[in-house]
Amino acid sequence: MSAPKNKQDRKALGRLSLPERTFVADALRTETVGGVLLLVAAVAALVWSNIPALHHSYEAVSDFHLGPGALGLDLSIEHWAADGLLAVFFFVAGIELKRELVAGDLRDPKAAALPVVAALCGMAMPAIVYVIVNATGGGSLSGWAVPTATDIAFALAVLAVIGTSLPSALRAFLLTLAVVDDLFAILIIAIFFTDDLNFAALGGAFLGLAVFWLLLRKRVRGWYVYVPLALVIWGLMYNSGVHATIAGVAMGLMLRCHREEGEEQSPGEHVEHLVRPLSAGLAVPLFALFSAGVAVSGGALGDVFTKPETLGVVLGLVVGKALGIFGGTWLTARFTKASLSDELAWPDVFAVASLAGIGFTVSLLIGELAFTDDPLLTDEIKASVLMGSLIAAVISSVLLKIRNAKYRALWEAEERDEDLSGVPDIYEVGDPEYHRRMAEIYERKAAEHRRLAEVAAGAGGEDERPA
């Protein structure tokens, strides 16, 4: 007979608190729309770059330069998309990380253990798979970081397309994984893909960040103050040799994300609400449009599975991500007091882990940084990112579809609001007012049933009278 569970045991991937559930729903709604736009942009890039009559125009637009050369910012459109627009994406990632650290799942070290360990294992295993494939196949180890990133927007776009009613706990797990994933991707970019440093520009960027922080501390308001300052910080960071997206992360982390008395939203939540649609709906899709345009042919696709660099990326995304996240989650549950929610099964965790193998935005960016001296290999790496993400999407879609009926039942239970209070019933079971409202509703329904029964009985009595 199994021993009774300790009362201190926590349920991994259990039901979220109502405020956390509301935040996750709002965030994922925007990311899902952005993911669909990202999917459209990626397809448009592939079509534009692979139709012979349009190929040259794609290259011409991507290579078109603009910007003040005197400031070191005479960049191509493709370069502006990767270094400029993605800074907006990482700014939002910085705010998400700050919020998770002060108000979300990462605030509590015990609760944070599961997504953090899962994310770390989900980044380490793809890198290990890549290194093994290239060490045995004689390939370059420079691309080890390419398959480590998860694209939350693309993953949610897949969910939107297949129509899976994934429970909020699994969606929140996926979102938290992506936040931690983004943090370590940022560290990888900052540490391993930094060119020769320009200390004067770097010092200027740090000075600008100090001014940004001081203005926030003094409660200075007004976009006309922060937007020009942010552009100056970004420009200095770009010229310093550190990847310019780091500036976006740093500014996002500085925003206050805890609410003070009388506030409906913290400054971080307010800014995120304003900027997230710009990031998900414009910045990331435009980056995809100018980064995903790689030549696709039978030979090119065949090379993806024959060259060690590209095969390492595909296997890293498809195999490494799934095994890493699933293994990290299982180990956390095995060696801590956390146990899987009664409503879920381990195949659900594996399905979400497979979904995290969709690496797109950051994987494409790291692929460009890892092989800057070899444009041909850069394009092949991009093709392998697309292929690996596609395979991961197909596998996870099949696994999620198998359990879709279970997910729909859980989702409907989470959404049910019979008393029409605006709060799901599942969060009101301990509220006496909820039970009073439900008693009134049931009494009205019972009265209506009695009335209909009396009407039916009266009608039957009339039919039985002799002619």
Side-chain angles (χ1 to χ4, degrees):
M1 185 175 69
S2 60
K5 290 185 178 180
N6 190 310
K7 291 183 179 179
Q8 300 301 316
D9 286 1
R10 292 179 299 104
K11 289 296 181 184
L13 305 182
R15 188 180 307 129
L16 304 178
S17 66
L18 185 58
E20 185 71 6
R21 177 183 178 277
T22 302
F23 170 80
V24 168
D26 291 341
L28 296 185
R29 191 176 299 112
T30 304
E31 290 290 356
T32 300
V33 173
V36 174
L37 293 175
L38 177 62
L39 187 59
V40 171
V43 172
L46 290 171
V47 172
W48 190 2
S49 61
N50 283 279
I51 294 178
L54 301 176
H55 176 72
H56 293 296
S57 67
Y58 180 82
E59 289 189 342
V61 173
S62 298
D63 294 337
F64 183 78
H65 280 63
L66 71 159
L71 300 178
L73 297 175
D74 181 20
L75 310 177
S76 67
I77 295 292
E78 182 180 3
H79 207 160
W80 274 111
D83 287 81
L85 291 177
L86 276 195
V88 179
F89 166 79
F90 279 107
F91 175 67
V92 174
I95 299 175
E96 285 179 341
L97 178 61
K98 179 67 173 290
R99 187 201 165 277
E100 288 292 329
L101 288 171
V102 302
D105 286 345
L106 301 184
R107 173 188 55 189
D108 178 7
K110 292 181 180 179
L114 180 65
V116 169
V117 172
L120 286 173
C121 293
M123 297 189 79
M125 187 58 70
I128 292 171
V129 170
Y130 179 92
V131 169
I132 291 174
V133 171
N134 282 270
T136 57
S140 170
L141 299 181
S142 300
W144 65 270
V146 176
T148 60
T150 293
D151 194 306
I152 183 64
F154 222 140
L156 291 172
V158 171
L159 287 179
V161 170
I162 65 176
T164 299
S165 302
L166 205 62
S168 59
L170 284 177
R171 288 179 180 267
F173 178 60
L174 186 60
L175 179 61
T176 308
L177 269 178
V179 171
V180 179
D181 191 287
D182 285 342
L183 168 64
F184 287 99
I186 291 159
L187 293 176
I188 287 172
I189 291 171
I191 296 170
F192 296 100
F193 298 104
T194 294
D195 300 326
D196 295 333
L197 291 177
N198 180 330
F199 287 100
L202 185 60
F206 279 121
L207 180 61
L209 288 171
V211 173
F212 189 89
W213 177 81
L214 185 62
L215 291 173
L216 290 173
R217 292 276 294 183
K218 295 295 184 182
R219 302 292 198 268
V220 175
R221 297 178 179 273
W223 64 267
Y224 47 83
V225 174
Y226 291 102
V227 171
L229 178 59
L231 291 174
V232 171
I233 293 170
W234 176 87
L236 289 168
M237 190 69 76
Y238 174 81
N239 281 287
S240 73
V242 177
H243 200 270
T245 54
I246 303 301
V249 178
M251 288 183 279
L253 285 170
M254 289 182 182
L255 290 175
R256 176 169 61 82
C257 290
H258 64 272
R259 299 180 188 181
E260 295 183 346
E261 188 175 353
E263 286 185 336
E264 292 185 4
Q265 283 185 317
S266 67
E269 290 172 319
H270 177 67
V271 173
E272 183 183 12
H273 180 73
L274 295 175
V275 179
R276 186 187 285 276
L278 175 65
S279 169
L282 181 66
V284 175
L286 282 178
F287 168 76
L289 182 64
F290 293 108
S291 294
V294 296
V296 176
S297 63
L301 293 179
D303 289 342
V304 166
F305 298 100
T306 55
K307 289 190 174 181
E309 295 88 352
T310 51
L311 180 61
V313 170
V314 172
L315 292 179
L317 288 171
V318 177
V319 178
K321 271 290 182 184
L323 292 181
I325 292 173
F326 180 83
T329 305
W330 185 86
L331 287 172
T332 305
R334 174 68 177 80
F335 294 105
T336 69
K337 292 182 178 180
S339 59
L340 194 64
S341 171
D342 295 334
E343 299 172 330
L344 300 173
W346 284 108
D348 301 319
V349 179
F350 188 80
V352 173
S354 300
L355 187 64
I358 301 175
F360 192 79
T361 306
V362 181
S363 290
L364 289 176
L365 175 61
I366 294 177
E368 291 179 355
L369 297 174
F371 299 102
T372 51
D373 298 331
D374 191 341
L376 178 60
L377 185 54
T378 299
D379 282 349
E380 291 173 340
I381 289 293
K382 288 182 179 181
S384 67
V385 169
L386 296 175
M387 180 59 68
S389 299
L390 177 62
I391 295 172
V394 171
I395 292 173
S396 59
S397 297
V398 172
L399 295 176
L400 290 168
K401 275 294 186 183
I402 293 173
R403 297 273 291 169
N404 201 35
K406 176 69 172 179
Y407 297 148
R408 188 178 296 111
L410 292 176
W411 183 83
E412 288 173 353
E414 290 180 356
E415 296 295 318
R416 188 175 297 115
D417 182 18
E418 290 190 76
D419 64 337
L420 303 178
S421 64
V423 177
D425 296 340
I426 205 167
Y427 291 97
E428 295 187 298
V429 292
D431 183 2
E433 282 297 309
Y434 162 73
H435 293 288
R436 183 187 60 77
R437 290 193 299 269
M438 290 304 299
E440 291 176 354
I441 291 171
Y442 289 141
E443 180 56 35
R444 286 197 298 270
K445 288 182 178 180
E448 179 64 15
H449 282 298
R450 285 194 296 269
R451 187 186 67 80
L452 293 174
E454 290 171 358
V455 170
E462 290 178 1
D463 293 340
E464 292 172 2
R465 287 182 299 177

